[in-house]
C-alpha cells in the first residue's frame, strides 16, 4: 500500500493551483479546490517560516549508517524536516517512511548524467538513494536508510544536496503558466 502522507506543492502542478485559484465554482468541489489551494499556499508559508529557524540541511554531513546510535526518526520529526525539502514527498511504503521525488529528463542519456551527478553526492556522503529511470525519461529518486529500515536525517541531507544540483540542462522545466 503506497500513499502520500503529506502532498507537496510539487504534486499540485502550478497550472492546477492557478486554475484552482481562479475557478469560482460553488459546492463541495469548489470548497475542496479552495482548501487544496490554501493547503498548498500554507505549506509554502510553513516552509518559509521553518527555513528561518533551521540550519540549511544541504550544508550538513551525513552520519555513517553503521553507527550504533543510528535510529529511524519519528513520523512527527519527518513531517517537520520535510518542510525544508518541500519538493519531496514523504511516502509510507508498507509501513516504511521514505522520501520520493520525480523528474522528467530531456533524454535517456541526460537521465544517466543526472544519476551520475546524484551518485557523486551520495559517494561523497556515504549515503545512497534508490534510483529509478523508467520509460526512457521518467526519473524517480527514493531515499531511506536501509541500515535501520526507515528515515534518518541523512536522507533529508541528501535530498537537500540533490535540490542544490544545477539540473537545468538535464531535466524538463515544470509547466508553470
Ligand atoms: C558501510 C556504509 O556506511 C553503509 O553500507 C551505508 C552505505 N550507504 C547507505 N545508504 C543508505 N540509504 N542507507 C544505508 O543504510 C547505507 N549504508
Amino acid at each position: 500500500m503506497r500513499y502520500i502522507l503529506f502532498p507537496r506543492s510539487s504534486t499540485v502542478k502550478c497550472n492546477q493551483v492557478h486554475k484552482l485559484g481562479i475557478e469560482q465554482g460553488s459546492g463541495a468541489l469548489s470548497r475542496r479546490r479552495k482548501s487544496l489551494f490554501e493547503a498548498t499556499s500554507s505549506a509554502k508559508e510553513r516552509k518559509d517560516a521553518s527555513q528561518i529557524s533551521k540550519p540549511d540541511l544541504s550544508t550538513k554531513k551525513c552520519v555513517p549508517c553503521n553507527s550504533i546510535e543510528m535510529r529511524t526518526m519519528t513520523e512527527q520529526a519527518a513531517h517537520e524536516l520535510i518542510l525544508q525539502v518541500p519538493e519531496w514527498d514523504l511516502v509510507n511504503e508498507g509501513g516504511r517512511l521514505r522520501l520520493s521525488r520525480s523528474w522528467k529528463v530531456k533524454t535517456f542519456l541526460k537521465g544517466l548524467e543526472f544519476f551520475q551527478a546524484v551518485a557523486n553526492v551520495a559517494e561523497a556522503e556515504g549515503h545512497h538513494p534508490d534510483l529509478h529511470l523508467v520509460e526512457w525519461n521518467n526519473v524517480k529518486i527514493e531515499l531511506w536508510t536501509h541500515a535501520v529500515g526507515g528515515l534518518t536525517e541523512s536522507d533529508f541531507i541528501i535530498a537537500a544536496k540533490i535540490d542544490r544540483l544545477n539540473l537545468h540542462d538535464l531535466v524538463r522545466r515544470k509547466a508553470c503558466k
Side-chain angles (χ1 to χ4, degrees):
M1 166 70 170
R2 178 180 172 82
Y3 55 93
I4 289 184
L5 284 167
F6 197 85
R8 312 299 328 142
S9 54
S10 58
T11 55
V12 180
K13 299 283 173 291
C14 301
N15 53 356
Q16 280 176 341
V17 173
H18 179 66
K19 198 165 53 181
L20 297 182
I22 57 176
E23 269 181 14
Q24 299 303 327
S26 61
L29 184 56
S30 168
R31 275 193 297 281
R32 163 162 162 56
R33 286 178 166 170
K34 187 171 176 297
S35 63
L36 183 59
F37 182 81
E38 284 163 356
T40 306
S41 322
S42 60
K44 183 182 179 320
E45 282 152 12
R46 279 200 299 278
K47 181 246 171 184
D48 294 345
S50 72
Q51 208 75 30
I52 298 163
S53 58
K54 303 268 186 328
D56 182 351
L57 281 170
S58 68
T59 63
K60 300 187 82 171
K61 294 296 287 176
C62 293
V63 174
C65 301
N66 52 5
S67 52
I68 48 168
E69 65 269 6
M70 178 71 79
R71 297 279 182 282
T72 55
M73 69 172 55
T74 63
E75 200 162 327
Q76 172 62 29
H79 275 290
E80 285 165 17
L81 271 182
I82 194 76
L83 298 175
Q84 297 186 49
V85 281
E87 296 298 326
W88 292 74
D89 291 317
L90 191 55
V91 296
N92 186 319
E93 201 158 75
R96 286 181 169 191
L97 289 180
R98 295 186 176 177
L99 294 181
S100 180
R101 187 177 174 188
S102 297
W103 296 259
K104 276 207 185 297
V105 287
K106 292 177 180 174
T107 67
F108 182 73
L109 288 179
K110 287 180 185 283
L112 296 180
E113 276 184 61
F114 184 1
F115 281 0
Q116 185 59 63
V118 171
N120 294 341
V121 170
E123 282 296 292
E125 293 296 326
H127 196 77
H128 303 86
D130 296 347
L131 303 175
H132 308 266
L133 172 54
V134 297
E135 293 171 36
W136 75 268
N137 69 342
N138 294 287
V139 164
K140 179 172 73 172
I141 296 181
E142 292 186 310
L143 279 157
W144 56 293
T145 301
H146 310 154
V148 294
L151 284 178
T152 64
E153 188 184 46
S154 294
D155 300 306
F156 290 86
I157 291 169
I158 296 292
K161 289 178 185 288
I162 290 172
D163 287 348
R164 297 274 309 258
L165 293 173
N166 179 0
L167 303 173
H168 298 304
D169 183 39
L170 305 178
V171 300
R172 289 191 194 158
R173 282 169 53 80
K174 279 214 172 77
C176 185
K177 296 177 188 58

